[in-house]
Amino acid sequence: KKLNMEAQAGKDNQLAPALEKPSASSKSGPAGASSSASDKKNIEKFLDSAFKGSRLTLREIKWICSKATKLFYEEPNIVDIPAPVTVVGDIHGQFHDLLQVFSKGGPAPKTRYLFLGDYVDRGHNSVEVMTLLLCLKVQFPKQITLLRGNHECREISSHYGFFAECQSKFQDKEGLEIYEAFSNVFDYLPLGALLGKEIFAVHAGLSPGIISLDQIRVMERFGEVGERNPCLQDLMWSDPTEIHKGFFRSDRGNGYLFGEDVVDRFLKENKLSRIVRSHQLCKEGYQETFGGKVLTVWSAPNYCYRMENKASVLIIDESCKYKLLLSCLFRNMNEWSA
């Protein structure tokens, strides 16, 4: 059913109850260290292990999650990111492909990165992906930005692989504690980013309840994604369509399909040049919709180890012009080219 955007704008933009502010991280690290110098030593050690794919202990992961959560809590709903910036789409637990992103896209902090969400589920190494990304966030907080995707919530990640992976990789009750530690971090992830003051980045798409960026900026984002705040959910589930105008309910069961007229209005209202998002598998690794006004970036090659798709990473330069770094055919994923 087609929806009226103005009617939904005031109706759906409800504020959800907030979680409590995360407690200040203890000055004592996992090994009992009591200084910022020791914290720095800890994170360098953990980051080195994370790049190798080595599994951290429960205590170490909880420490990293605590540090990262405090950083996310302090970030706004829409993070302002100056250009240049490299944008990464869905990863879905494909750890070795994430390593290729850093290998070909450049190491942090030399390269500034924005990740569009969906770090977990489907692939076999969501724990390793999240460990590495959170270590990078703690080590280089201004150079690494992580947005929330639709899989960064308990309702989805408990059914599509992440929960089962945590249970299989850690013994007894540790698997549940690891899962909850990461899930608690998800509750604080920001919703979007403004790149170079003219490109809006979000995991999925738009909402009939949102006309301006300012509406997103004042939303209460902390907590589980759900029906209590449908606009927030739309940002993580909606998709563009070239078939319809306006908004139509999505076959996904959450979010909407939105047409070019919706995009034109949103871009004009917010003085933007385009929208960058992920969320949809693209056979060629990317897709330009509405003449490039919406750009979909997909960064998990050979998705689910069987889809035979390419992947891409979006490189935005100082003037907000972009180029795509593309993977070659899925059978030889270690080759990427501009």
Side-chain angles (χ1 to χ4, degrees):
K1 182 179 178 181
K2 186 175 181 180
L3 298 180
N4 180 279
M5 194 155 54
E6 290 87 348
Q8 282 295 111
K11 179 181 176 181
D12 281 350
N13 198 20
Q14 304 289 326
L15 297 184
L19 295 180
E20 293 182 2
K21 180 178 180 178
S23 59
S25 298
S26 169
K27 291 183 180 180
S28 181
S34 59
S35 69
S36 58
S38 295
D39 282 358
K40 185 174 184 296
K41 186 176 180 180
N42 281 329
I43 189 59
E44 288 175 350
K45 172 187 172 185
F46 300 155
L47 186 55
D48 181 65
S49 295
F51 265 113
K52 295 175 182 177
S54 301
R55 200 170 300 158
L56 302 187
T57 67
L58 170 63
R59 190 178 182 189
E60 290 166 345
I61 288 177
K62 282 187 171 182
W63 186 82
I64 291 293
C65 287
S66 175
K67 294 286 187 181
T69 298
K70 189 172 185 296
L71 292 171
F72 292 131
Y73 179 84
E74 299 296 336
E75 290 182 330
N77 288 357
I78 299 177
V79 182
D80 286 300
I81 302 177
V85 58
T86 296
V87 182
V88 184
D90 288 26
I91 296 295
H92 279 300
Q94 296 185 200
F95 176 70
H96 296 94
D97 293 311
L98 175 61
L99 294 182
Q100 286 302 312
V101 167
F102 291 120
S103 175
K104 302 303 179 181
K110 184 178 180 181
T111 300
R112 183 184 294 117
Y113 280 98
L114 167 65
F115 292 84
L116 297 177
D118 278 12
Y119 315 109
V120 302
D121 291 334
R122 308 293 192 184
H124 300 323
N125 300 108
S126 296
V127 170
E128 289 79 5
V129 167
M130 282 308 307
T131 300
L132 176 55
L133 291 178
L134 293 185
C135 284
L136 285 167
K137 178 65 179 179
V138 174
Q139 180 75 320
F140 311 115
K142 298 298 183 183
Q143 295 297 93
I144 301 290
T145 301
L146 306 179
L147 302 186
R148 192 172 191 175
N150 62 301
H151 281 258
E152 278 69 65
C153 75
R154 294 166 185 81
E155 182 181 0
I156 302 299
S157 65
S158 62
H159 290 91
Y160 290 90
F162 187 41
F163 177 78
E165 180 185 328
C166 291
Q167 293 289 82
S168 69
K169 290 182 176 178
F170 296 89
Q171 295 182 348
D172 302 324
K173 295 181 180 179
E174 285 194 358
L176 179 59
E177 290 188 57
I178 292 288
Y179 176 76
E180 280 302 320
F182 283 126
S183 295
N184 290 337
V185 175
F186 298 159
D187 287 338
Y188 291 90
L189 292 173
L191 306 177
L194 187 60
L195 313 180
K197 300 186 182 301
E198 67 171 81
I199 299 173
F200 178 55
V202 67
H203 176 67
L206 302 178
S207 170
I210 297 173
I211 296 173
S212 73
L213 293 180
D214 286 340
Q215 289 175 274
I216 302 174
R217 290 186 174 105
V218 300
M219 292 172 68
E220 177 52 68
R221 78 175 191 262
F222 302 136
E224 183 72 352
V225 178
E227 293 182 357
R228 63 186 176 83
N229 194 336
C231 288
L232 187 151
Q233 196 171 43
D234 295 342
L235 296 173
M236 301 176 198
W237 283 92
S238 296
D239 300 300
T241 175
E242 294 183 320
I243 299 175
H244 305 290
K245 291 184 178 181
F247 282 97
F248 282 80
R249 281 289 184 183
S250 173
D251 292 339
R252 290 179 183 268
N254 288 309
Y256 294 87
L257 299 174
F258 56 92
E260 185 173 10
D261 58 327
V262 172
V263 172
D264 287 340
R265 177 175 178 176
F266 187 83
L267 294 179
K268 182 178 180 181
E269 173 72 23
N270 296 285
K271 299 179 174 59
L272 301 171
S273 61
R274 63 173 43 89
I275 296 168
V276 172
R277 39 96 65 180
S278 189
H279 190 54
Q280 278 182 298
L281 172 65
C282 304
K283 195 70 174 178
E284 295 301 315
Y286 73 99
Q287 183 171 335
E288 294 176 311
T289 312
F290 312 138
K293 287 179 282 189
V294 175
L295 183 59
T296 301
V297 182
W298 184 267
S299 302
N302 194 28
Y303 179 47
C304 295
Y305 314 109
R306 61 182 175 82
M307 298 305 293
E308 304 186 7
N309 61 281
K310 297 180 182 180
S312 72
V313 170
L314 183 69
I315 301 173
I316 298 175
D317 67 17
E318 294 86 347
S319 60
C320 285
K321 295 180 180 179
Y322 70 87
K323 68 176 181 180
L324 289 153
L325 187 64
L326 297 173
S327 73
C328 69
L329 292 177
F330 76 99
R331 294 180 182 85
N332 194 8
M333 281 309 164
N334 62 342
E335 294 185 10
W336 291 68
S337 61

